[in-house]
PDB file of all heavy atoms in Angstrom:
ATOM      1  N   PRO A1515     -10.306 -45.740 -49.916  1.00  0.00           N
ATOM      2  CA  PRO A1515      -9.527 -46.564 -50.853  1.00  0.00           C
ATOM      3  C   PRO A1515      -8.167 -46.946 -50.267  1.00  0.00           C
ATOM      4  O   PRO A1515      -7.177 -46.238 -50.443  1.00  0.00           O
ATOM      5  CB  PRO A1515      -9.381 -45.671 -52.072  1.00  0.00           C
ATOM      6  CG  PRO A1515      -9.424 -44.280 -51.526  1.00  0.00           C
ATOM      7  CD  PRO A1515     -10.337 -44.328 -50.338  1.00  0.00           C
ATOM      8  N   LEU A1516      -8.127 -48.066 -49.581  1.00  0.00           N
ATOM      9  CA  LEU A1516      -6.898 -48.494 -48.917  1.00  0.00           C
ATOM     10  C   LEU A1516      -5.758 -48.698 -49.913  1.00  0.00           C
ATOM     11  O   LEU A1516      -4.600 -48.368 -49.625  1.00  0.00           O
ATOM     12  CB  LEU A1516      -7.151 -49.783 -48.132  1.00  0.00           C
ATOM     13  CG  LEU A1516      -5.979 -50.326 -47.318  1.00  0.00           C
ATOM     14  CD1 LEU A1516      -5.560 -49.344 -46.239  1.00  0.00           C
ATOM     15  CD2 LEU A1516      -6.340 -51.681 -46.706  1.00  0.00           C
ATOM     16  N   GLY A1517      -6.070 -49.245 -51.082  1.00  0.00           N
ATOM     17  CA  GLY A1517      -5.029 -49.490 -52.085  1.00  0.00           C
ATOM     18  C   GLY A1517      -4.331 -48.212 -52.520  1.00  0.00           C
ATOM     19  O   GLY A1517      -3.100 -48.155 -52.614  1.00  0.00           O
ATOM     20  N   LEU A1518      -5.098 -47.153 -52.773  1.00  0.00           N
ATOM     21  CA  LEU A1518      -4.511 -45.924 -53.291  1.00  0.00           C
ATOM     22  C   LEU A1518      -3.713 -45.178 -52.226  1.00  0.00           C
ATOM     23  O   LEU A1518      -2.686 -44.564 -52.539  1.00  0.00           O
ATOM     24  CB  LEU A1518      -5.603 -45.026 -53.871  1.00  0.00           C
ATOM     25  CG  LEU A1518      -5.130 -43.881 -54.779  1.00  0.00           C
ATOM     26  CD1 LEU A1518      -4.266 -44.404 -55.914  1.00  0.00           C
ATOM     27  CD2 LEU A1518      -6.307 -43.099 -55.324  1.00  0.00           C
ATOM     28  N   ILE A1519      -4.151 -45.235 -50.962  1.00  0.00           N
ATOM     29  CA  ILE A1519      -3.346 -44.569 -49.928  1.00  0.00           C
ATOM     30  C   ILE A1519      -2.100 -45.397 -49.581  1.00  0.00           C
ATOM     31  O   ILE A1519      -1.137 -44.870 -49.039  1.00  0.00           O
ATOM     32  CB  ILE A1519      -4.164 -44.232 -48.667  1.00  0.00           C
ATOM     33  CG1 ILE A1519      -4.751 -45.476 -48.006  1.00  0.00           C
ATOM     34  CG2 ILE A1519      -5.239 -43.209 -48.995  1.00  0.00           C
ATOM     35  CD1 ILE A1519      -5.429 -45.194 -46.670  1.00  0.00           C
ATOM     36  N   THR A1520      -2.122 -46.682 -49.935  1.00  0.00           N
ATOM     37  CA  THR A1520      -0.892 -47.486 -49.832  1.00  0.00           C
ATOM     38  C   THR A1520       0.055 -47.137 -50.972  1.00  0.00           C
ATOM     39  O   THR A1520       1.276 -47.051 -50.776  1.00  0.00           O
ATOM     40  CB  THR A1520      -1.223 -48.986 -49.841  1.00  0.00           C
ATOM     41  OG1 THR A1520      -2.118 -49.283 -48.759  1.00  0.00           O
ATOM     42  CG2 THR A1520       0.035 -49.834 -49.684  1.00  0.00           C
ATOM     43  N   VAL A1521      -0.494 -46.921 -52.167  1.00  0.00           N
ATOM     44  CA  VAL A1521       0.321 -46.442 -53.294  1.00  0.00           C
ATOM     45  C   VAL A1521       0.994 -45.123 -52.918  1.00  0.00           C
ATOM     46  O   VAL A1521       2.190 -44.911 -53.193  1.00  0.00           O
ATOM     47  CB  VAL A1521      -0.552 -46.256 -54.552  1.00  0.00           C
ATOM     48  CG1 VAL A1521       0.191 -45.465 -55.624  1.00  0.00           C
ATOM     49  CG2 VAL A1521      -0.977 -47.613 -55.102  1.00  0.00           C
ATOM     50  N   ALA A1522       0.239 -44.239 -52.272  1.00  0.00           N
ATOM     51  CA  ALA A1522       0.806 -42.946 -51.860  1.00  0.00           C
ATOM     52  C   ALA A1522       2.010 -43.142 -50.945  1.00  0.00           C
ATOM     53  O   ALA A1522       2.991 -42.393 -51.016  1.00  0.00           O
ATOM     54  CB  ALA A1522      -0.265 -42.106 -51.164  1.00  0.00           C
ATOM     55  N   ALA A1523       1.944 -44.159 -50.091  1.00  0.00           N
ATOM     56  CA  ALA A1523       3.055 -44.441 -49.172  1.00  0.00           C
ATOM     57  C   ALA A1523       4.250 -45.053 -49.903  1.00  0.00           C
ATOM     58  O   ALA A1523       5.385 -44.958 -49.422  1.00  0.00           O
ATOM     59  CB  ALA A1523       2.579 -45.379 -48.074  1.00  0.00           C
ATOM     60  N   LEU A1524       4.015 -45.682 -51.040  1.00  0.00           N
ATOM     61  CA  LEU A1524       5.088 -46.316 -51.806  1.00  0.00           C
ATOM     62  C   LEU A1524       5.824 -45.332 -52.714  1.00  0.00           C
ATOM     63  O   LEU A1524       6.931 -45.616 -53.187  1.00  0.00           O
ATOM     64  CB  LEU A1524       4.518 -47.454 -52.656  1.00  0.00           C
ATOM     65  CG  LEU A1524       4.081 -48.717 -51.906  1.00  0.00           C
ATOM     66  CD1 LEU A1524       3.183 -49.584 -52.782  1.00  0.00           C
ATOM     67  CD2 LEU A1524       5.307 -49.513 -51.453  1.00  0.00           C
ATOM     68  N   LEU A1525       5.217 -44.183 -53.003  1.00  0.00           N
ATOM     69  CA  LEU A1525       5.853 -43.190 -53.867  1.00  0.00           C
ATOM     70  C   LEU A1525       7.005 -42.502 -53.137  1.00  0.00           C
ATOM     71  O   LEU A1525       7.042 -42.468 -51.908  1.00  0.00           O
ATOM     72  CB  LEU A1525       4.812 -42.159 -54.305  1.00  0.00           C
ATOM     73  CG  LEU A1525       3.695 -42.679 -55.218  1.00  0.00           C
ATOM     74  CD1 LEU A1525       2.638 -41.604 -55.432  1.00  0.00           C
ATOM     75  CD2 LEU A1525       4.249 -43.156 -56.553  1.00  0.00           C
ATOM     76  N   PRO A1526       7.963 -41.953 -53.877  1.00  0.00           N
ATOM     77  CA  PRO A1526       9.096 -41.272 -53.229  1.00  0.00           C
ATOM     78  C   PRO A1526       8.643 -40.175 -52.270  1.00  0.00           C
ATOM     79  O   PRO A1526       7.681 -39.444 -52.566  1.00  0.00           O
ATOM     80  CB  PRO A1526       9.870 -40.688 -54.422  1.00  0.00           C
ATOM     81  CG  PRO A1526       9.514 -41.574 -55.576  1.00  0.00           C
ATOM     82  CD  PRO A1526       8.093 -41.975 -55.348  1.00  0.00           C
ATOM     83  N   GLN A1527       9.313 -40.064 -51.154  1.00  0.00           N
ATOM     84  CA  GLN A1527       8.918 -39.108 -50.130  1.00  0.00           C
ATOM     85  C   GLN A1527       9.076 -37.660 -50.589  1.00  0.00           C
ATOM     86  O   GLN A1527       8.422 -36.765 -50.039  1.00  0.00           O
ATOM     87  CB  GLN A1527       9.732 -39.348 -48.854  1.00  0.00           C
ATOM     88  CG  GLN A1527       9.409 -40.669 -48.169  1.00  0.00           C
ATOM     89  CD  GLN A1527      10.113 -40.820 -46.828  1.00  0.00           C
ATOM     90  OE1 GLN A1527      10.797 -39.900 -46.373  1.00  0.00           O
ATOM     91  NE2 GLN A1527       9.952 -41.971 -46.208  1.00  0.00           N
ATOM     92  N   ASN A1528       9.923 -37.413 -51.578  1.00  0.00           N
ATOM     93  CA  ASN A1528      10.106 -36.030 -52.039  1.00  0.00           C
ATOM     94  C   ASN A1528       9.075 -35.610 -53.094  1.00  0.00           C
ATOM     95  O   ASN A1528       9.104 -34.480 -53.572  1.00  0.00           O
ATOM     96  CB  ASN A1528      11.530 -35.824 -52.573  1.00  0.00           C
ATOM     97  CG  ASN A1528      11.843 -36.697 -53.786  1.00  0.00           C
ATOM     98  OD1 ASN A1528      11.097 -37.613 -54.117  1.00  0.00           O
ATOM     99  ND2 ASN A1528      12.966 -36.411 -54.434  1.00  0.00           N
ATOM    100  N   TRP A1529       8.170 -36.525 -53.461  1.00  0.00           N
ATOM    101  CA  TRP A1529       7.093 -36.166 -54.383  1.00  0.00           C
ATOM    102  C   TRP A1529       6.035 -35.344 -53.649  1.00  0.00           C
ATOM    103  O   TRP A1529       5.737 -35.590 -52.473  1.00  0.00           O
ATOM    104  CB  TRP A1529       6.434 -37.417 -54.957  1.00  0.00           C
ATOM    105  CG  TRP A1529       7.193 -38.073 -56.072  1.00  0.00           C
ATOM    106  CD1 TRP A1529       8.537 -38.036 -56.297  1.00  0.00           C
ATOM    107  CD2 TRP A1529       6.627 -38.886 -57.110  1.00  0.00           C
ATOM    108  NE1 TRP A1529       8.857 -38.786 -57.405  1.00  0.00           N
ATOM    109  CE2 TRP A1529       7.711 -39.324 -57.930  1.00  0.00           C
ATOM    110  CE3 TRP A1529       5.348 -39.299 -57.424  1.00  0.00           C
ATOM    111  CZ2 TRP A1529       7.524 -40.137 -59.039  1.00  0.00           C
ATOM    112  CZ3 TRP A1529       5.146 -40.117 -58.536  1.00  0.00           C
ATOM    113  CH2 TRP A1529       6.231 -40.529 -59.336  1.00  0.00           C
ATOM    114  N   GLU A1530       5.454 -34.409 -54.347  1.00  0.00           N
ATOM    115  CA  GLU A1530       4.288 -33.691 -53.817  1.00  0.00           C
ATOM    116  C   GLU A1530       3.033 -34.469 -54.233  1.00  0.00           C
ATOM    117  O   GLU A1530       2.904 -34.854 -55.405  1.00  0.00           O
ATOM    118  CB  GLU A1530       4.242 -32.269 -54.365  1.00  0.00           C
ATOM    119  CG  GLU A1530       5.394 -31.387 -53.927  1.00  0.00           C
ATOM    120  CD  GLU A1530       5.265 -29.983 -54.496  1.00  0.00           C
ATOM    121  OE1 GLU A1530       4.218 -29.348 -54.273  1.00  0.00           O
ATOM    122  OE2 GLU A1530       6.204 -29.545 -55.185  1.00  0.00           O
ATOM    123  N   ILE A1531       2.121 -34.677 -53.290  1.00  0.00           N
ATOM    124  CA  ILE A1531       0.941 -35.502 -53.549  1.00  0.00           C
ATOM    125  C   ILE A1531      -0.334 -34.733 -53.202  1.00  0.00           C
ATOM    126  O   ILE A1531      -0.420 -34.100 -52.144  1.00  0.00           O
ATOM    127  CB  ILE A1531       0.992 -36.807 -52.729  1.00  0.00           C
ATOM    128  CG1 ILE A1531       2.098 -37.726 -53.261  1.00  0.00           C
ATOM    129  CG2 ILE A1531      -0.353 -37.535 -52.762  1.00  0.00           C
ATOM    130  CD1 ILE A1531       2.305 -38.967 -52.422  1.00  0.00           C
ATOM    131  N   ARG A1532      -1.285 -34.793 -54.100  1.00  0.00           N
ATOM    132  CA  ARG A1532      -2.651 -34.374 -53.798  1.00  0.00           C
ATOM    133  C   ARG A1532      -3.557 -35.577 -54.041  1.00  0.00           C
ATOM    134  O   ARG A1532      -3.490 -36.199 -55.113  1.00  0.00           O
ATOM    135  CB  ARG A1532      -3.086 -33.189 -54.654  1.00  0.00           C
ATOM    136  CG  ARG A1532      -2.348 -31.904 -54.332  1.00  0.00           C
ATOM    137  CD  ARG A1532      -2.912 -30.724 -55.112  1.00  0.00           C
ATOM    138  NE  ARG A1532      -2.105 -29.515 -54.896  1.00  0.00           N
ATOM    139  CZ  ARG A1532      -2.353 -28.332 -55.479  1.00  0.00           C
ATOM    140  NH1 ARG A1532      -3.407 -28.210 -56.286  1.00  0.00           N
ATOM    141  NH2 ARG A1532      -1.567 -27.300 -55.242  1.00  0.00           N
ATOM    142  N   PHE A1533      -4.372 -35.897 -53.054  1.00  0.00           N
ATOM    143  CA  PHE A1533      -5.205 -37.102 -53.103  1.00  0.00           C
ATOM    144  C   PHE A1533      -6.679 -36.718 -53.003  1.00  0.00           C
ATOM    145  O   PHE A1533      -7.055 -35.903 -52.156  1.00  0.00           O
ATOM    146  CB  PHE A1533      -4.832 -38.020 -51.935  1.00  0.00           C
ATOM    147  CG  PHE A1533      -5.859 -39.079 -51.632  1.00  0.00           C
ATOM    148  CD1 PHE A1533      -5.860 -40.291 -52.311  1.00  0.00           C
ATOM    149  CD2 PHE A1533      -6.843 -38.862 -50.671  1.00  0.00           C
ATOM    150  CE1 PHE A1533      -6.816 -41.252 -52.038  1.00  0.00           C
ATOM    151  CE2 PHE A1533      -7.802 -39.817 -50.388  1.00  0.00           C
ATOM    152  CZ  PHE A1533      -7.787 -41.012 -51.075  1.00  0.00           C
ATOM    153  N   PHE A1534      -7.485 -37.327 -53.884  1.00  0.00           N
ATOM    154  CA  PHE A1534      -8.926 -37.111 -53.835  1.00  0.00           C
ATOM    155  C   PHE A1534      -9.667 -38.428 -54.029  1.00  0.00           C
ATOM    156  O   PHE A1534      -9.490 -39.093 -55.056  1.00  0.00           O
ATOM    157  CB  PHE A1534      -9.380 -36.125 -54.925  1.00  0.00           C
ATOM    158  CG  PHE A1534      -8.887 -34.721 -54.722  1.00  0.00           C
ATOM    159  CD1 PHE A1534      -7.698 -34.301 -55.304  1.00  0.00           C
ATOM    160  CD2 PHE A1534      -9.599 -33.830 -53.937  1.00  0.00           C
ATOM    161  CE1 PHE A1534      -7.224 -33.016 -55.112  1.00  0.00           C
ATOM    162  CE2 PHE A1534      -9.147 -32.534 -53.742  1.00  0.00           C
ATOM    163  CZ  PHE A1534      -7.955 -32.131 -54.325  1.00  0.00           C
ATOM    164  N   ASP A1535     -10.455 -38.796 -53.047  1.00  0.00           N
ATOM    165  CA  ASP A1535     -11.463 -39.840 -53.231  1.00  0.00           C
ATOM    166  C   ASP A1535     -12.680 -39.127 -53.793  1.00  0.00           C
ATOM    167  O   ASP A1535     -13.359 -38.371 -53.095  1.00  0.00           O
ATOM    168  CB  ASP A1535     -11.777 -40.502 -51.890  1.00  0.00           C
ATOM    169  CG  ASP A1535     -12.870 -41.557 -51.994  1.00  0.00           C
ATOM    170  OD1 ASP A1535     -13.472 -41.707 -53.081  1.00  0.00           O
ATOM    171  OD2 ASP A1535     -13.147 -42.233 -50.979  1.00  0.00           O
ATOM    172  N   ARG A1536     -12.955 -39.344 -55.066  1.00  0.00           N
ATOM    173  CA  ARG A1536     -14.020 -38.602 -55.741  1.00  0.00           C
ATOM    174  C   ARG A1536     -15.408 -38.963 -55.224  1.00  0.00           C
ATOM    175  O   ARG A1536     -16.387 -38.311 -55.589  1.00  0.00           O
ATOM    176  CB  ARG A1536     -13.934 -38.838 -57.253  1.00  0.00           C
ATOM    177  CG  ARG A1536     -12.738 -38.124 -57.888  1.00  0.00           C
ATOM    178  CD  ARG A1536     -12.516 -38.519 -59.332  1.00  0.00           C
ATOM    179  NE  ARG A1536     -13.712 -38.418 -60.160  1.00  0.00           N
ATOM    180  CZ  ARG A1536     -14.180 -37.300 -60.688  1.00  0.00           C
ATOM    181  NH1 ARG A1536     -13.544 -36.144 -60.475  1.00  0.00           N
ATOM    182  NH2 ARG A1536     -15.271 -37.307 -61.438  1.00  0.00           N
ATOM    183  N   ASN A1537     -15.501 -39.979 -54.385  1.00  0.00           N
ATOM    184  CA  ASN A1537     -16.763 -40.287 -53.729  1.00  0.00           C
ATOM    185  C   ASN A1537     -17.000 -39.369 -52.533  1.00  0.00           C
ATOM    186  O   ASN A1537     -18.094 -39.333 -51.974  1.00  0.00           O
ATOM    187  CB  ASN A1537     -16.767 -41.744 -53.267  1.00  0.00           C
ATOM    188  CG  ASN A1537     -16.568 -42.698 -54.424  1.00  0.00           C
ATOM    189  OD1 ASN A1537     -17.481 -42.970 -55.182  1.00  0.00           O
ATOM    190  ND2 ASN A1537     -15.334 -43.192 -54.592  1.00  0.00           N
ATOM    191  N   VAL A1538     -15.953 -38.643 -52.139  1.00  0.00           N
ATOM    192  CA  VAL A1538     -16.025 -37.738 -50.989  1.00  0.00           C
ATOM    193  C   VAL A1538     -15.884 -36.291 -51.422  1.00  0.00           C
ATOM    194  O   VAL A1538     -16.698 -35.436 -51.092  1.00  0.00           O
ATOM    195  CB  VAL A1538     -14.945 -38.103 -49.945  1.00  0.00           C
ATOM    196  CG1 VAL A1538     -14.882 -37.060 -48.835  1.00  0.00           C
ATOM    197  CG2 VAL A1538     -15.222 -39.485 -49.359  1.00  0.00           C
ATOM    198  N   THR A1539     -14.816 -35.997 -52.166  1.00  0.00           N
ATOM    199  CA  THR A1539     -14.528 -34.632 -52.624  1.00  0.00           C
ATOM    200  C   THR A1539     -13.972 -34.679 -54.044  1.00  0.00           C
ATOM    201  O   THR A1539     -13.115 -35.515 -54.342  1.00  0.00           O
ATOM    202  CB  THR A1539     -13.493 -33.947 -51.709  1.00  0.00           C
ATOM    203  OG1 THR A1539     -13.964 -33.960 -50.365  1.00  0.00           O
ATOM    204  CG2 THR A1539     -13.261 -32.504 -52.138  1.00  0.00           C
ATOM    205  N   LEU A1540     -14.431 -33.781 -54.890  1.00  0.00           N
ATOM    206  CA  LEU A1540     -13.933 -33.706 -56.258  1.00  0.00           C
ATOM    207  C   LEU A1540     -12.712 -32.796 -56.334  1.00  0.00           C
ATOM    208  O   LEU A1540     -12.632 -31.783 -55.638  1.00  0.00           O
ATOM    209  CB  LEU A1540     -15.023 -33.192 -57.194  1.00  0.00           C
ATOM    210  CG  LEU A1540     -16.291 -34.057 -57.314  1.00  0.00           C
ATOM    211  CD1 LEU A1540     -17.289 -33.382 -58.245  1.00  0.00           C
ATOM    212  CD2 LEU A1540     -15.954 -35.459 -57.800  1.00  0.00           C
ATOM    213  N   GLU A1541     -11.797 -33.171 -57.187  1.00  0.00           N
ATOM    214  CA  GLU A1541     -10.649 -32.311 -57.455  1.00  0.00           C
ATOM    215  C   GLU A1541     -11.103 -31.097 -58.275  1.00  0.00           C
ATOM    216  O   GLU A1541     -12.200 -31.094 -58.835  1.00  0.00           O
ATOM    217  CB  GLU A1541      -9.577 -33.100 -58.211  1.00  0.00           C
ATOM    218  CG  GLU A1541      -9.852 -33.339 -59.692  1.00  0.00           C
ATOM    219  CD  GLU A1541     -10.931 -34.377 -59.989  1.00  0.00           C
ATOM    220  OE1 GLU A1541     -11.445 -34.997 -59.034  1.00  0.00           O
ATOM    221  OE2 GLU A1541     -11.266 -34.558 -61.183  1.00  0.00           O
ATOM    222  N   THR A1542     -10.260 -30.089 -58.331  1.00  0.00           N
ATOM    223  CA  THR A1542     -10.582 -28.883 -59.096  1.00  0.00           C
ATOM    224  C   THR A1542      -9.725 -28.811 -60.354  1.00  0.00           C
ATOM    225  O   THR A1542      -8.748 -29.560 -60.513  1.00  0.00           O
ATOM    226  CB  THR A1542     -10.326 -27.619 -58.255  1.00  0.00           C
ATOM    227  OG1 THR A1542      -8.910 -27.509 -58.016  1.00  0.00           O
ATOM    228  CG2 THR A1542     -11.069 -27.676 -56.930  1.00  0.00           C
TER     229      THR A1542
END
Side-chain angles (χ1 to χ4, degrees):
L1516 183 62
L1518 196 55
I1519 60 173
T1520 302
V1521 167
L1524 288 164
L1525 294 173
Q1527 293 186 4
N1528 62 348
W1529 281 27
E1530 295 181 56
I1531 290 174
R1532 292 186 186 179
F1533 163 86
F1534 293 92
D1535 177 354
R1536 288 171 51 80
N1537 301 282
V1538 172
T1539 304
L1540 298 178
E1541 76 287 356
T1542 67

